[in-house]
Amino acid sequence: MPKILIVGGGYAGFYTAWKLEKHLRKGEAEVILVDPLSYMTYLPFLPEVAAGSIEPRHAVVAHRRHLKKTTVINAKVTGLDHANKTATITPEDGEPWELQYDQVVVTAGSVSRTFPIPGIADGAIGLKSIEEAVAIRDRIITNFNRAAALPAGPERERLLTVVVVGGGFAGIETLGELRSFASALLKDYPQLSFEETHFHLIEAMGRIMPEVSLETSEWVLKDLAKRGAYVHLDTQVKDATDGNVGLSNGDVIPADLIIWTAGVMANPQVVRSSGLPADERGRITTQADLRVIDADKNVVEGAWSAGDVAAVPDLTGGGVGGFCVPNAQHAVRQAKLLAKNLVATLRGDKPVDYFHKNLGAVAGLGLYDGVFQSGKFALKGFVAWVAHRGYHGLAMPSWERKWRVIWDWWNNFWLGRDIATMEKVQQPREFFEEFASRPKPAVAAAPAEAPKAEAPKADAPKADAPKVEVKPEKAAKSTGKPKAEKVSAAKAK
Ligand SMILES: Cc1cc2nc3c(=O)[nH]c(=O)nc-3n(C[C@H](O)[C@H](O)[C@H](O)COP(=O)(O)OP(=O)(O)OC[C@H]3O[C@@H](n4cnc5c(N)ncnc54)[C@H](O)[C@@H]3O)c2cc1C
C-alpha cells in the first residue's frame, strides 16, 4: 500500500487527511499525519478566545477524534530526504527515527515574522496558537486583579495598557476584541475606571486591513477610536524593553502586554530541512495543481504542498505577486483539492488546477461589532458581526466542534463572559509544593573535638535523597519602572 505522509495537521494538513479518508478506497493507501500538536487550531477564533468569548478547547479540533482512518504521530518532522523518500521524525521523547513514504504533503503553515527590535523576542507574545490566546486572556484578567489592588498611578495604568503591533486582520481583530473584553470587565472592578485602560495598535503603513477598501478601513479606525482603542499609523516600534514601548515618533507607551501580529512567514525550519524547492520568500513552490515544482518548473514527483507554507499560483489574478495570500480560505480549499488530486494521480488520472475567487473578508471587532467586505460591497457594525459569527460558526470543521462554539456564544449571551483567570495553571505545583513535606537536610559533619556522631539508622533519609526540582518560572514581564511620558493622540483619521 502506498504511504502518504502529511507534514503538519493545521488547516491544510487536517483537511487533506480528512478528505483523503473520504476519497480513498479501502486498502488504496495509508495516510500518516505528523504534527507536534494533537489538534488543528481554528486560528480565526484566537482573538475571541483571548477575549473570553470562546472556551480555548472548543477552538481546536482533536486529530484522533476526527481522523479515524489516519495514523496520527505527535512529533516534529525535522528532515526530508525526498530522493530516498525518507522523513526524519523527532518525537518529544526518545531518539529521532526514519519513516519511509511514497507521497509527501507539506502543510507546516507559517510562524510569526518579527524584526530584531530590542525587547520584542523576550517580552512580547504572538497570536498564532491557542496557548498564546489563553495566556493573553489570563494576563488581562490577572492584570485587572493586580491593578485593582494598587493605588491609582502610573504602575496601575501600565498594567491596564495593551499594545498590539501590526494592523492586518489579526491585529485589528485582536485590538477590537480585547478592548471589548476590558470594557466588559470594568463593571466587576469598581476600583478601576475606563480612562485608566489603554489600547494601542502600532502600524508601520499609512492604512490598516489591506483586504478591505480604504473607506471601510477608515470607518474601522473611527469606530475603534470611539470605543477607546487607538491606531497609530505610519509608526514603528523601535524598542520594547523594560515595559516601555518606544515608537518611531518619539512617544513611549508603558505597557505590560505587547502582542505581535505584524505578519507571518512560511515555517522556515520545515522548508529548509525538507530540501524541497522554495521561492525567495521561503515558500515551497508549487504549480496550480499543488504538486511541488523546481525552479525550471519541473514537477518533483511525489511531493505536494498547500496553505501558508506554499507559494501556490493564484489563477484568478487576484493574489499578491501572482500567488495565493496566506489565509484559511485558501488553505482549506487547496487541501480539499490536493486530496482529490493526490487520489487522482494514484489512479493514473490527471490532477486539476486550483482556482478560487476570494469570497471577501469578515472580521469581528468585539461583541456586536464587525466589518465585512466583498468587492465594493461592505457591511459594518452589528450586521457584519452577525455575518462574522455566522460564517465562522459554520466554517468550524465538524458538527461536534460547531456545536461547542455556538454553545459558548449562547451561554455568554445570557450569562456574560467567564472572568476567572487560570494563569496559575502555568505553575500548577506551586500550591502543593508550598506545604509539601520534604526529607530533612543531611546532618552537617561534626567538628573534630565533638563527640562521634552515631551511625545513621537504616531508615533515616540519605544525604543524596532525590530532590524534586522545580523549573524556574519564565520571566514573563519586565521589571523596569515605567516612564512618565504621555502618549500623543492617536492618528486615527
Ligand atoms: C489570529 C489569526 C486570525 C486569522 N483569521 C483568519 C480569518 O478570519 N480568515 C482567514 O481566511 N484566515 C485567517 N487567518 C489565517 C489562517 O488561519 C491561516 O492562513 C491558516 O491557518 C493556514 O493554514 P496552514 O495549514 O497552512 O497552517 P496552520 O494552520 O498554521 O498549520 C500548520 C501546522 O503545522 C504544524 N507543524 C509546524 N512545524 C511542524 C513540523 N516540524 N512537523 C510537523 N508539523 C509541524 C503546526 O503544529 C500546525 O499544526 C488567521 C490567522 C491568525 C493567526
Side-chain angles (χ1 to χ4, degrees):
M1 237 201 312
K3 271 189 188 166
I4 303 169
L5 167 65
I6 302 173
V7 182
Y11 258 100
F14 174 81
Y15 271 93
T16 303
W18 214 22
K19 295 300 159 185
L20 279 173
E21 288 193 358
K22 198 172 145 210
H23 300 312
L24 285 168
R25 295 187 199 114
K26 205 164 182 241
E28 198 175 6
E30 183 189 351
V31 182
I32 303 161
L33 184 144
V34 184
D35 194 312
L37 303 173
S38 61
Y39 46 79
M40 169 253 189
T41 308
Y42 194 92
L43 296 175
F45 279 152
L46 294 188
E48 280 197 66
V49 171
S53 290
I54 297 176
E55 277 303 305
R57 276 187 191 83
H58 300 167
V60 302
V61 185
H63 292 141
R64 285 181 171 81
R65 170 100 190 233
H66 293 280
L67 299 175
K68 293 290 186 199
K69 298 187 213 159
T70 301
T71 305
V72 176
I73 300 173
N74 290 128
K76 275 187 176 177
V77 172
T78 50
L80 283 184
D81 173 4
H82 192 63
N84 293 307
K85 303 249 175 112
T86 307
T88 307
I89 311 292
T90 305
E92 186 80 21
D93 315 289
E95 294 297 311
W97 50 278
E98 297 203 328
L99 181 94
Q100 294 286 323
Y101 62 82
D102 299 282
Q103 304 278 334
V104 67
V105 180
V106 183
T107 46
S110 56
V111 297
S112 297
R113 179 174 50 107
T114 52
F115 308 105
I117 301 166
I120 288 295
D122 297 323
I125 187 166
L127 190 58
K128 282 280 290 165
S129 69
I130 198 73
E131 293 77 9
E132 289 167 323
V134 173
I136 290 169
R137 172 191 175 275
D138 285 345
R139 174 67 75 87
I140 287 183
I141 304 171
T142 303
N143 279 3
F144 265 66
N145 294 338
R146 288 165 63 196
L150 288 175
E155 180 54 16
R156 179 150 133 169
E157 291 201 28
R158 193 182 75 84
L159 287 169
L160 299 174
T161 302
V162 175
V163 172
V164 180
V165 190
F169 249 68
I172 293 293
E173 283 194 292
T174 304
L175 181 76
E177 288 289 350
L178 294 184
R179 175 69 266 183
S180 159
F181 182 33
S183 301
L185 275 179
L186 281 169
K187 74 174 185 330
D188 294 305
Y189 291 83
Q191 304 90 336
L192 306 176
S193 68
F194 181 87
E195 290 68 34
E196 289 174 295
T197 62
H198 307 284
F199 286 78
H200 297 278
L201 185 140
I202 317 301
E203 169 53 51
M205 313 277 282
R207 62 162 294 180
I208 54 162
M209 298 171 115
E211 299 86 346
V212 303
S213 70
L214 185 63
E215 191 225 320
T216 307
S217 76
E218 285 175 350
W219 178 87
V220 173
L221 292 176
K222 282 190 198 133
D223 178 68
L224 287 169
K226 256 193 268 163
R227 291 164 45 202
Y230 301 104
V231 177
H232 304 251
L233 296 175
D234 293 315
T235 310
Q236 291 164 21
V237 173
K238 290 286 175 200
D239 187 275
T241 45
D242 299 333
N244 293 302
V245 182
L247 305 181
S248 50
N249 59 12
D251 288 344
V252 176
I253 307 175
D256 191 68
L257 184 54
I258 306 164
I259 305 169
W260 184 273
T261 59
V264 295
M265 59 181 177
N267 188 321
Q269 283 173 353
V270 172
V271 175
R272 254 184 254 132
S273 66
S274 74
L276 293 172
D279 68 359
E280 67 292 343
R281 293 176 64 180
R283 299 171 298 184
I284 294 174
T285 45
T286 75
Q287 57 185 30
D289 62 11
L290 304 161
R291 284 186 289 178
V292 174
I293 49 167
D294 64 18
D296 300 324
K297 304 211 183 303
N298 298 315
V299 170
V300 179
E301 192 270 321
W304 305 76
S305 191
D308 287 7
V309 79
V312 178
D314 187 341
L315 300 184
T316 67
V320 178
F323 295 97
C324 296
V325 292
N327 67 25
Q329 232 182 88
H330 282 304
V332 170
R333 285 167 182 81
Q334 287 169 1
K336 288 181 179 173
L337 181 73
L338 196 160
K340 274 192 189 156
N341 279 351
L342 208 161
V343 174
T345 53
L346 290 180
R347 294 177 186 162
D349 296 333
K350 267 195 105 188
V352 176
D353 282 349
Y354 176 73
F355 184 95
H356 168 67
K357 258 202 157 156
N358 191 359
L359 295 175
V362 64
L365 300 174
L367 218 45
Y368 311 128
D369 196 5
V371 67
F372 167 78
Q373 180 102 38
S374 179
K376 287 194 175 146
F377 178 71
L379 292 173
K380 294 157 194 162
F382 180 71
V383 213
W385 175 80
V386 174
H388 165 76
R389 285 218 162 165
Y391 175 80
H392 286 295
L394 292 175
M396 183 74 178
S398 87
W399 275 103
E400 182 257 335
R401 287 287 114 177
K402 286 189 217 311
W403 186 243
R404 289 185 200 265
V405 170
I406 293 167
W407 196 241
D408 284 345
W409 287 336
W410 176 252
N411 279 340
N412 283 358
F413 180 74
W414 297 105
L415 307 171
R417 304 178 223 225
D418 208 324
I419 63 159
T421 170
M422 288 285 146
E423 201 169 46
K424 285 277 182 193
V425 88
Q426 307 301 328
Q427 304 95 33
R429 296 187 56 263
E430 217 173 60
F431 300 102
F432 176 75
E433 224 196 331
E434 190 176 353
F435 300 104
S437 173
R438 290 211 155 78
K440 285 208 173 77
V443 181
E449 64 278 12
K452 261 192 177 178
E454 258 182 54
K457 285 183 188 153
D459 58 350
K462 287 189 182 162
D464 58 353
K467 266 201 219 158
V468 181
E469 283 284 339
V470 186
K471 280 189 185 163
E473 190 188 326
K474 264 197 177 173
K477 66 176 190 64
S478 81
T479 48
K481 278 197 163 186
K483 289 186 191 166
E485 280 94 327
K486 272 230 157 190
V487 179
S488 72
K491 287 185 187 168
K493 288 176 197 164

